[in-house]
Structure formats: structure tokens, C-alpha cells
Amino acid sequence: MQTPTNISLNKEKTLLTITFDEINYLLSAEYLRIYSPSAEVVGHASGQEILQLNKENVTILRIQPTGNYAVILFFSDKHDSGIYSWSHLYKLASNHDKLWHEYLQKLKDIGHTHSRLNI
């Protein structure tokens, strides 16, 4: 299991920096919110994922450690049910470009607007 050596939130509460193996990964609050490991996002079984919309302006209000294996992120849209394990955060960090592109493509496919889409 990868364990981060540092987790910090910028003063605007929009960007989380997490360090794995001396590499700093910058993850936006929006990205972390749309890829929350909670049942509200991933559903209760494969194929039940719920595409998260309108999260561009979400912020992280606070970070709460959970044991030695995870954190809970409290978001400005009142979402706080996702337990972000170190392995989930590492997956999000190391696959950021691919996952972000997939999310934007899903938005485009349904005709949803986003500041990063040119549709």
C-alpha cells in the first residue's frame, strides 16, 4: 500500500497536494469530488456509477484523518461520505490525466457544459 508523506490544501481550498514517493500530485477539489469513493458517486455495484455534474466551484472545507489508511474530505456542497483510502488517492493521483479526460468526455457526450469543454 502506498502511503502519502504529505497532504496539504491551498488557502483557496481548491487544490489538494498529496505526495507519494517524493512526487507531488496536485488534485483539484472538483476532481476529488467527482471521483469520490462514496456510494453516492460509485453506486452499490458495478455499472451504477452516477456522473457528478456542476462541481466546478466546489471547495474542500476540511480534511479528517481516518485511522492510518485514509482521510475524509468535507466539501462545500455538503458531501462528506467518501472515505479516501491511500490506495484510492494514489490511483486518482497517478491516473489523473486519463481519469480527467474520461470525465470531460462523459460530460461532452451528454451535452453538459463545463469551462474546460469546447462544445
Side-chain angles (χ1 to χ4, degrees):
M1 171 176 68
Q2 295 279 26
T3 301
T5 54
N6 184 55
I7 299 175
S8 62
L9 186 61
N10 71 347
K11 66 181 180 176
E12 294 84 14
K13 300 183 182 253
T14 57
L15 194 63
L16 186 85
T17 301
I18 188 163
T19 307
F20 288 102
D21 297 325
E22 299 182 23
I23 299 170
N24 291 325
Y25 296 94
L26 307 175
L27 306 176
S28 72
E30 176 185 13
Y31 177 72
L32 290 163
R33 175 61 179 86
I34 63 170
Y35 282 109
S36 169
S38 73
E40 176 186 326
V41 175
V42 298
H44 294 284
S46 182
Q48 294 183 349
E49 299 83 5
I50 300 164
L51 184 61
Q52 301 297 296
L53 304 174
N54 304 315
K55 302 302 178 189
E56 285 184 76
N57 297 315
V58 75
T59 59
I60 298 170
L61 301 177
R62 72 184 171 99
I63 303 166
Q64 177 181 307
T66 301
N68 292 321
Y69 67 93
V71 292
I72 297 173
L73 302 178
F74 292 80
F75 293 93
S76 59
D77 67 351
K78 309 294 186 223
H79 180 74
D80 62 4
S81 59
I83 298 175
Y84 291 77
S85 68
W86 302 148
S87 60
H88 184 69
L89 285 168
Y90 183 75
K91 180 185 111 182
L92 293 179
S94 61
N95 294 293
H96 178 274
D97 292 346
K98 175 183 177 283
L99 292 171
W100 183 248
H101 176 75
E102 287 175 3
Y103 173 70
L104 292 177
Q105 186 61 51
K106 287 176 185 176
L107 292 180
K108 186 175 183 179
D109 291 347
I110 65 166
H112 191 77
T113 60
H114 189 284
S115 64
R116 296 236 174 125
L117 281 177
N118 296 320
I119 57 174

